[in-house]
Amino acid sequence: MDLFTKKKYVIYFDYESCDDVKYRDLRPKKLTFCTDDLLHAIVTCGMPIYYCRTRSAVIRRKDELVYKIAAIQFALDEQPDPKDSSRNVLVLSDRLRYLDPSEKGILSYYIGMFFTKLISKKIFHVQYLVHLSIAQMIYSIILEEKGRPDLIGYNLRSGDYSVFEAKGRARYSEKTLDDACGQVQMVKYICGDKPSLRVANLMYFRKKDKIKKVLQSSIKDPEGTDGISIDFPPEKILRQYYQPICELIDEIRDAAASDNSLSQNPYSARFLLPGQHSVTITLPSVIYNMFSNEFSQFNMEEMKEYVMGREEDDDLVQIEFE
């Protein structure tokens, strides 16, 4: 899979117990996206803030990002969609046959996580998705380790919370999807409100339209059960989402300050990828100044005013690949 050539892709999915009146993008049972969408999901998902506590850890963050991009390109190949030759479907790469089960498991985890991020944004319009396990460590949220969901989501415009569980498997597993449903059901309230969504998403491979091992998705939004309450206000979600991006920008920008060929925008950072490619990550100045460190002053009204005044996505991380 070539993530640095602009192409269109499609993932077909099925869904159950989901509100397809509210979320109309469910009805076609397919998600169309481009390489930029997937790269954005890789950059913004799985960037835990606690990795950014020391200078050496921040430097390793860039390497982590390069590794994750390479992992997805290694795990997936593409073929023309039999239903529309202008776009491609993603298939399991034959390269994985040389890996042991543990290595395959890591790649399946990344596929599940990154495509769940993509689905959360493009189908359910949840822009801010953060890892609950990281929130536990930073904010001392008490939650049993066994069976907890992966991700907490927040929609700034509606003020709604959501819960997501991401699974990646080589093939469809009803038990795995049921387990994911149980995990999202265990959160009853977030800051006193019921989650508007409890999404269990299983990414897997199956034969479709005479093509072997096509990447598919199976989505469920089960009813809530008696579970726990989490105190995780919007400020903490937004800070957990944006601060690692700010710190990554700081580190790369500072390291490249002597190189005039690289961007000198104080809210932007460019670094090189293998194969003579590069990535530039930029934040609006108002967002950078709110989240650049843990002592930055956060203003929810200013944040909302800035977001509501935009016609573009609420997610303000701008990413350009060359």
Side-chain angles (χ1 to χ4, degrees):
M1 181 183 188
D2 181 8
L3 279 171
F4 304 108
T5 302
K6 290 186 180 295
K7 297 178 183 178
K8 287 178 62 177
Y9 298 92
V10 64
I11 290 178
Y12 294 92
F13 61 85
D14 56 71
Y15 65 91
E16 184 179 330
S17 306
C18 297
D19 186 350
D20 59 8
V21 175
K22 183 177 180 180
Y23 303 106
R24 296 181 180 179
D25 293 322
L26 284 164
R27 295 179 185 176
K29 293 189 176 181
K30 63 183 179 183
L31 171 61
T32 302
F33 61 96
C34 63
T35 46
D36 287 352
D37 295 321
L38 180 54
L39 284 164
H40 190 280
I42 295 172
V43 170
T44 58
C45 189
M47 300 183 73
I49 197 170
Y50 72 89
Y51 284 165
C52 302
R53 291 308 184 192
T54 68
R55 185 174 181 83
S56 61
V58 177
I59 292 172
R60 288 197 298 269
R61 282 288 329 288
K62 184 196 76 172
D63 296 335
E64 177 192 7
L65 183 57
V66 172
Y67 163 72
K68 289 176 179 177
I69 292 172
I72 289 297
Q73 293 193 112
F74 180 84
L76 298 174
D77 285 328
E78 57 195 59
Q79 293 188 23
D81 181 8
K83 297 181 180 179
D84 185 344
S85 60
S86 69
R87 64 195 184 195
N88 297 287
V89 294
L90 296 173
V91 299
L92 186 67
S93 172
D94 286 339
R95 291 182 291 270
L96 269 67
R97 70 175 64 183
Y98 302 105
L99 303 181
D100 66 29
S102 297
E103 292 172 310
K104 292 177 182 177
I106 293 172
L107 294 176
S108 293
Y109 168 81
Y110 286 143
I111 290 170
M113 190 63 63
F114 298 145
F115 282 94
T116 296
K117 164 67 176 180
L118 190 66
I119 286 168
S120 74
K121 179 179 179 180
K122 296 188 71 70
I123 294 179
F124 296 107
H125 314 295
V126 175
Q127 304 288 356
Y128 303 110
L129 209 60
V130 298
H131 286 257
L132 184 54
S133 60
I134 310 306
Q136 285 181 263
M137 299 181 65
I138 300 170
Y139 302 119
S140 301
I141 294 174
I142 299 174
L143 188 63
E144 289 186 12
E145 193 70 20
K146 184 178 181 180
R148 61 168 173 76
D150 283 326
L151 303 155
I152 295 289
Y154 183 68
N155 186 310
L156 186 66
R157 292 177 183 265
S158 64
D160 291 341
Y161 289 96
S162 52
V163 185
F164 287 78
E165 174 63 22
K167 299 290 188 186
R169 295 291 186 271
R171 59 187 63 85
Y172 179 80
S173 167
E174 185 174 358
K175 181 182 183 304
T176 299
L177 189 56
D178 287 344
D179 289 344
C181 288
Q183 288 173 255
V184 297
Q185 286 177 307
M186 73 176 296
V187 177
K188 187 175 183 180
Y189 295 108
I190 304 174
C191 291
D193 295 326
K194 290 183 178 180
S196 62
L197 284 164
R198 294 179 175 87
V199 175
N201 178 48
L202 172 63
M203 302 300 304
Y204 64 99
F205 297 88
R206 59 169 287 193
K207 183 177 180 179
K208 184 177 179 65
D209 299 324
K210 299 182 180 180
I211 301 177
K212 294 182 179 179
K213 299 180 180 179
V214 177
L215 183 62
Q216 303 272 125
S217 171
S218 193
I219 302 168
K220 282 189 178 182
D221 179 13
E223 292 290 336
T225 59
D226 290 336
I228 65 166
S229 297
I230 296 176
D231 182 21
F232 197 16
E235 176 185 350
K236 292 182 178 179
I237 290 180
L238 294 169
R239 189 171 293 280
Q240 184 173 325
Y241 188 86
Y242 281 116
Q243 190 173 328
I245 303 289
C246 293
E247 295 185 355
L248 181 61
I249 287 173
D250 287 345
E251 186 67 29
I252 297 171
R253 183 198 61 213
D254 293 346
S258 60
D259 188 343
N260 293 328
S261 68
L262 299 183
S263 172
Q264 298 301 307
N265 181 343
Y267 314 113
S268 178
R270 176 177 177 263
F271 61 94
L272 300 178
L273 296 169
Q276 298 183 332
H277 296 290
S278 68
V279 56
T280 303
I281 300 174
T282 306
L283 285 176
S285 60
V286 64
I287 301 303
Y288 176 88
N289 291 330
M290 277 190 195
F291 301 108
S292 58
N293 63 70
E294 58 187 318
F295 304 108
S296 301
Q297 186 174 1
F298 173 79
N299 186 315
M300 177 58 87
E301 293 305 315
E302 185 180 3
M303 178 86 182
K304 284 185 176 180
E305 182 179 352
Y306 186 85
V307 169
M308 298 298 185
R310 293 167 51 92
E311 295 181 358
E312 304 172 36
D313 289 342
D314 293 356
D315 188 341
L316 304 174
V317 182
Q318 301 167 28
I319 303 171
E320 295 182 4
F321 291 85
E322 299 176 2

